[in-house]
Amino acid sequence: MLVRCLEECKPDWINLPGTAMRSWVNEDIILTDSGHHFGYIASGTANLCTPIGKFPVPIGCYFSIAGECLLTGIGTGLLVTHFGYRGLFSIGGPIEGVGRLRYIDGCSDSVLVSPPRVGDPCLNMLYVPPHIDQTPHTHPSLRIGIIVSGQGCCKTPMGNEDMRPGDVFMLPKDLVHSFHTSSEPMRIVVYHPDSDCGPSDDVHPMVTRTLVDSKPASEIPSIRTTYIHSGI
């Protein structure tokens, strides 16, 4: 398990399987055309300079953007690049106090950047209430996160890691771990490189909520789109 404060992740990218991570600390960074970029702004305000304009991303907010752009501003944040993938552009936040979805052991989470298609990467917020001892568990892929508020620790077979606001971490796939808090809750923004839920060609709101004689279009093969035209 890798745990560092934001300043210690600077200035080089940390390369991981299919992914790279680094911090943003009061500097201009060119995000390359090699993949899709996720970011969370821990302090100050960042600016995303893109071919279609300049977009401010203030403290407590997050972004998702494909391809080359320039990140400027004064502040700190976490950046993650997913190579060979192009998702949708979005800016969101600020993150909420607790998650909207029930998780485990009293914890909750929210999907901040949803996978456009099942299997795609996503960005999430995990809320760990006070006095929580999570059940030890694993994930089938790596996790990269930043502590947003509160404090606690993460227990692994290698020992306990104290976690405070601004700390970033990487959990390798299949590593047994658990989060623990005392009197303070803890909020964590976490990048997942994959997903096992989300829209698919056969299950998405447009096709399942289109009815022909009261029958969903998803159940009528004769009218289903078989080829997506890429241009006009």
Side-chain angles (χ1 to χ4, degrees):
M1 178 179 181
L2 169 70
V3 178
R4 295 183 179 180
C5 66
L6 280 170
E7 288 75 9
E8 291 177 340
C9 288
K10 178 192 174 189
D12 296 324
W13 290 91
I14 298 174
N15 291 308
L16 303 160
T19 304
M21 62 179 284
R22 68 160 292 168
S23 65
W24 168 67
V25 182
N26 301 325
E27 60 186 319
D28 294 353
I29 299 177
I30 296 176
L31 301 177
T32 69
D33 197 34
S34 59
H36 192 91
H37 314 287
F38 298 87
Y40 174 78
I41 305 306
S43 68
T45 297
N47 295 295
L48 279 177
C49 303
T50 78
I52 61 172
K54 180 178 178 180
F55 301 89
V57 189
I59 181 174
C61 294
Y62 49 89
F63 65 86
S64 165
I65 187 168
E68 184 172 334
C69 66
L70 176 66
L71 183 69
T72 68
I74 302 297
T76 61
L78 173 66
L79 305 175
V80 178
T81 295
H82 188 107
F83 298 119
Y85 166 73
R86 301 183 79 84
L88 301 175
F89 174 54
S90 67
I91 296 174
I95 63 171
E96 298 175 319
V98 300
R100 296 191 174 208
L101 305 171
R102 289 176 289 182
Y103 183 39
I104 63 170
D105 300 315
C107 302
S108 58
D109 69 279
S110 291
V111 182
L112 305 178
V113 178
S114 298
R117 175 182 285 269
V118 61
D120 286 348
C122 55
L123 194 69
N124 301 270
M125 190 280 289
L126 170 64
Y127 173 76
V128 185
H131 308 293
I132 290 297
D133 291 305
Q134 263 192 350
T135 302
H137 60 279
T138 64
H139 301 296
S141 53
L142 67 83
R143 298 290 183 264
I144 297 172
I146 179 171
I147 307 303
V148 173
S149 65
Q151 57 183 332
C153 77
C154 183
K155 295 183 179 180
T156 74
M158 289 84 77
N160 299 344
E161 293 280 359
D162 291 333
M163 312 192 90
R164 297 177 178 84
D167 284 348
V168 300
F169 64 88
M170 188 280 293
L171 293 167
K173 62 176 292 187
D174 299 325
L175 177 68
V176 177
H177 65 282
S178 56
F179 290 109
H180 303 262
T181 54
S182 54
S183 59
E184 288 188 59
M186 189 164 57
R187 289 187 301 164
I188 310 170
V189 169
V190 187
Y191 157 82
H192 296 199
D194 53 20
S195 58
D196 62 357
C197 61
S200 67
D201 288 326
D202 295 324
V203 181
H204 63 84
M206 183 69 79
V207 73
T208 58
R209 302 298 287 174
T210 293
L211 306 180
V212 178
D213 296 329
S214 301
K215 187 174 184 178
S218 57
E219 299 176 9
I220 310 175
S222 62
I223 67 170
R224 294 296 311 282
T225 296
T226 57
Y227 173 76
I228 297 178
H229 296 272
S230 59
I232 296 176

